[in-house]
Amino acid sequence: MIKVAMTSVYVDDVTKAHAFYTEVLGFETRLHMDLGEGTLFVTVGAAEGAQRDLQLLLEPGQGPIAEPYRAALREAGLPCIVFSVDDLDAEYERLRGLGVRFTHPPQDQGPVVAAVLDDTVGNLVQLTQPKG
């Protein structure tokens, strides 16, 4: 069986992204390594032991591949990643209380209710909750 072990999100600033994804979104640090010359290798994952085998790499977003990709997503208003939550309304209110800017509030999107936020490091992120 093949499973997803790691995926990445290109970010403007790995240190700032690490703070946002852990302190605001609530992920936990899985790896935090200094590779030298100012390069960090940082992964986060769901807190409290959930999805232990899945990590999100906060990857530097500079370069000829990442920059056009990120710009195109942003221009189209598309999220770079989708996270699921148990209670979208509660999470939306919690995050707004922390100053998170949403590009659209919770709204029906087929089988889910979804909201999109700005992660402060160059990306749009979607939060979803299945209906029913």
Side-chain angles (χ1 to χ4, degrees):
M1 171 171 65
I2 298 174
K3 298 187 313 181
V4 176
M6 183 181 298
T7 190
S8 62
V9 171
Y10 291 117
V11 298
D12 294 336
D13 179 311
V14 173
T15 300
K16 184 177 177 184
H18 182 236
F20 182 82
Y21 278 75
T22 56
E23 296 169 17
V24 177
L25 294 185
F27 287 96
E28 66 182 17
T29 303
R30 298 283 176 83
L31 292 171
H32 192 287
M33 300 184 321
D34 186 340
L35 302 177
E37 299 180 18
T39 303
L40 296 174
F41 185 89
V42 177
T43 67
V44 298
E48 301 174 11
Q51 296 180 309
R52 288 301 312 163
D53 59 344
L54 180 58
Q55 297 179 76
L56 176 63
L57 173 62
L58 303 175
E59 190 158 2
Q62 298 73 28
I65 294 172
E67 287 174 358
Y69 168 75
R70 293 174 72 214
L73 283 177
R74 199 75 198 191
E75 185 176 312
L78 297 173
C80 69
I81 194 161
V82 177
F83 298 129
S84 65
V85 297
D86 294 329
D87 184 341
L88 183 57
D89 289 332
E91 201 60 38
Y92 175 76
E93 291 303 325
R94 181 187 78 81
L95 292 171
R96 283 189 54 217
L98 293 172
V100 173
R101 186 179 74 79
F102 281 79
T103 60
H104 80 69
Q107 53 190 254
D108 286 349
Q109 290 187 344
V112 300
V113 178
V116 177
L117 63 90
D118 184 324
D119 76 353
T120 73
V121 286
N123 303 295
L124 298 177
V125 173
Q126 186 171 29
L127 302 179
T128 66
Q129 176 186 349
K131 290 181 186 173

